[in-house]
Amino acid sequence: MSNLTTSSGTTAKATTSDTQVEMIAAPSGGTRIKEYIIFNEGIAAGFYSLDGASTWHRLPAGNFVADEGVNNSNAIYVKRTPGGSNLTGLYASARIA
């Protein structure tokens, strides 16, 4: 199986409410996300999810999170702290195989 890369695109994503925003779509055709990186270039911290928006992990402001040891078949989402400041300057990339 070949390795492919995907990204959230060249335009930064942002939140506009407490609703999550999809950064990387769920892989198709039996492929899975093997590694990812999420950049948060903004000044607000938030959360990200690797399991279809069930479990949330902290996404620090002005920083990034990455993992190269995943085996994920779900979309990657981000969201702001409930009722908090919107996240801005969000980018993501992933390797799928």
Side-chain angles (χ1 to χ4, degrees):
M1 189 174 292
S2 64
N3 289 320
L4 306 169
T5 59
T6 187
S7 79
S8 58
T10 59
T11 302
K13 294 197 175 202
T15 61
T16 57
S17 68
D18 287 350
T19 303
Q20 71 261 10
V21 173
E22 185 179 82
M23 295 299 294
I24 300 288
S28 62
T31 60
R32 299 174 78 77
I33 295 172
K34 298 297 186 177
E35 59 190 53
Y36 67 89
I37 187 165
I38 304 168
F39 293 95
N40 179 3
E41 296 179 347
I43 60 171
F47 298 93
Y48 70 98
S49 174
L50 302 173
D51 64 0
S54 293
T55 306
W56 294 94
H57 311 278
R58 191 71 170 155
L59 178 60
N63 213 323
F64 70 92
V65 293
D67 193 345
E68 60 184 34
V70 296
N71 191 23
N72 181 29
S73 62
N74 297 298
I76 297 176
Y77 293 98
V78 297
K79 71 176 184 177
R80 71 181 189 187
T81 301
S85 298
N86 281 318
L87 302 179
T88 59
L90 299 169
Y91 297 91
S93 296
R95 181 180 65 84
I96 58 176

